[in-house]
Amino acid sequence: MIKRVDYRNLTKSYGTILAGIVVTVVFSILRPDAFATLANLINITRQISLLVVIAIGATLVMSIEEFDLSVGAMASLGGVLAAKMAVAGVPIFLCFLVPPIVAFGIGFVNGWIVTKFRVLSFIVTLAMSTIIGGFTFWFTGGATVFQNIPRSFRYVGSTTVFGIPLLTIIMFALVVLFWFIMKHTSFGRKLYAIGGNEVAAEVSGINVRKYKILTFSLCASLAAFTGILMSSRLGSAHPTGGDGLFLQSYAAVFLGRTVFKEGVPNIWGTFVGAAILGILANGLTIMQVPTFLRDLLTGFIIILAVIVQKVGRDRD
């Protein structure tokens, strides 16, 4: 007897991936000479690398049902600190190491305030974003840092390994690392337990406060590291350079929640969400579609993804 296919569950489980495939096919048909090439595929992976890295941090925070609205400002701060240190002649490895450590401390403060005083995370991190933005503007005088940046600092953002951008390699390495952490370690399972039911997690013996603080700290570090990679790629650092990644990162996470039936934040889902956004932006750019229209389409896609996820949950 032939088993009947449940198209509703199939669409709910893989609808986002299918949508991404459809978008890819459409652009490939419309512009096969520019879009459907290996060079453009490699270019897309480089374009989404920064978004994926910062979105991994957002995924961690959302797995505990919290938000960190300071990731954009944190990325700007990380890029500016690293660029300033490089210009001052600080060893390059310290330029890549110190800002994430500083950001870890700021994330620790975010998590401590949220857990100690039980304040809504989006309020705390929004205020922290304003503080970081003000400090970054003061630190740079509102100017872009670009003069006398050493070539060694730009190496990570511009070099390739066997034709593959180093940024792409770093992105995949972090995706695999954090997928393993979230899927196969007690740390990841505890984060999902906290996000599923914080009270039950605490009753079961999980130190909720500790893991929440650590999650905010890791999210901040990944955001700062994203800012460093951006500065390395561009060869400059702007005091608001990371702001554009904020909404995009959470858009990738929300899209990622619709990739799998469970409807929870997950690393590979976030990667797929970022890839879809990257493919859409790349294809529309090749088609010479105005930027404002790209933003409109991206916004509609995010709203549609949230609605699909909500409807799917209500029908379960």
Side-chain angles (χ1 to χ4, degrees), residues 45-60 71 166-175 178 218-230 245 249 252-253 267 270-271 274:
T45 63
R46 175 166 45 201
Q47 289 175 342
I48 68 171
S49 59
L50 302 177
L51 174 58
V52 170
V53 174
I54 196 171
I56 289 173
T59 304
L60 298 180
V71 290
L166 186 54
L167 288 176
T168 298
I169 296 174
I170 292 173
M171 172 189 70
F172 278 114
L174 289 174
V175 167
F178 279 94
L218 287 173
C219 178
S221 291
L222 285 167
F225 185 59
T226 302
I228 299 172
L229 295 178
M230 179 186 295
L245 292 172
S249 63
V253 179
I267 301 300
T270 295
F271 171 77

Side-chain angles (χ1 to χ4, degrees), residues 51 54 69-77 129-130 132-134 136-137 223 226-227 230 238-250:
L51 174 58
I54 196 171
L69 304 189
S70 66
V71 290
M74 199 74 72
S76 301
L77 176 64
S129 175
T130 305
I132 295 171
T136 305
F137 189 86
T226 302
M230 179 186 295
H238 192 275
T240 59
D243 291 359
L245 292 172
F246 162 57
L247 289 177
Q248 292 282 314
S249 63
Y250 280 98

Side-chain angles (χ1 to χ4, degrees), residues 47-301:
Q47 289 175 342
I48 68 171
S49 59
L50 302 177
L51 174 58
V52 170
V53 174
I54 196 171
I56 289 173
T59 304
L60 298 180
V61 172
M62 286 195 66
S63 70
I64 59 173
E65 292 297 314
E66 300 285 1
F67 287 93
D68 187 344
L69 304 189
S70 66
V71 290
M74 199 74 72
S76 301
L77 176 64
V80 165
L81 284 178
K84 283 279 193 177
M85 291 173 66
V87 170
V90 176
I92 298 302
F93 80 93
L94 288 178
C95 296
F96 279 81
L97 180 63
V98 172
I101 293 176
V102 172
F104 189 92
I106 298 174
F108 185 95
V109 173
N110 281 337
W112 181 80
I113 294 174
V114 169
T115 56
K116 176 67 175 179
F117 301 100
R118 298 192 177 276
V119 184
L120 293 176
S121 58
F122 76 87
I123 295 178
V124 174
T125 55
L126 180 61
M128 185 62 74
S129 175
T130 305
I131 294 172
I132 295 171
F135 172 82
T136 305
F137 189 86
W138 167 81
F139 187 60
T140 61
T144 302
V145 181
F146 67 93
Q147 292 184 336
N148 302 319
I149 292 183
R151 182 172 298 179
S152 56
F153 179 73
R154 301 196 298 266
Y155 176 82
V156 173
S158 60
T159 195
T160 60
V161 180
F162 300 111
I164 306 298
L166 186 54
L167 288 176
T168 298
I169 296 174
I170 292 173
M171 172 189 70
F172 278 114
L174 289 174
V175 167
V176 172
L177 173 62
F178 279 94
W179 164 79
F180 180 83
I181 290 174
M182 296 299 290
K183 185 74 175 180
H184 297 288
T185 68
S186 62
F187 175 77
R189 288 190 289 270
K190 287 174 181 176
L191 294 192
Y192 282 126
I194 294 171
N197 191 320
E198 183 176 329
V199 175
E202 196 162 12
V203 171
S204 67
I206 297 176
N207 189 334
V208 173
R209 182 179 178 185
K210 168 187 171 182
Y211 284 98
K212 277 195 171 186
I213 291 175
L214 183 56
T215 302
F216 276 102
S217 300
L218 287 173
C219 178
S221 291
L222 285 167
F225 185 59
T226 302
I228 299 172
L229 295 178
M230 179 186 295
S231 297
S232 178
R233 179 185 176 188
L234 299 176
S236 63
H238 192 275
T240 59
D243 291 359
L245 292 172
F246 162 57
L247 289 177
Q248 292 282 314
S249 63
Y250 280 98
V253 179
F254 274 112
L255 283 174
R257 294 180 69 154
T258 67
V259 171
F260 299 107
K261 185 177 179 180
E262 291 81 0
V264 297
N266 61 93
I267 301 300
W268 280 113
T270 295
F271 171 77
V272 172
I276 292 174
L277 293 175
I279 290 170
L280 184 65
N282 179 269
L284 292 176
T285 299
I286 291 176
M287 298 295 296
Q288 298 182 342
V289 174
T291 302
F292 76 89
L293 186 56
R294 286 181 301 185
D295 292 339
L296 287 174
L297 289 174
T298 301
F300 280 124
I301 288 174

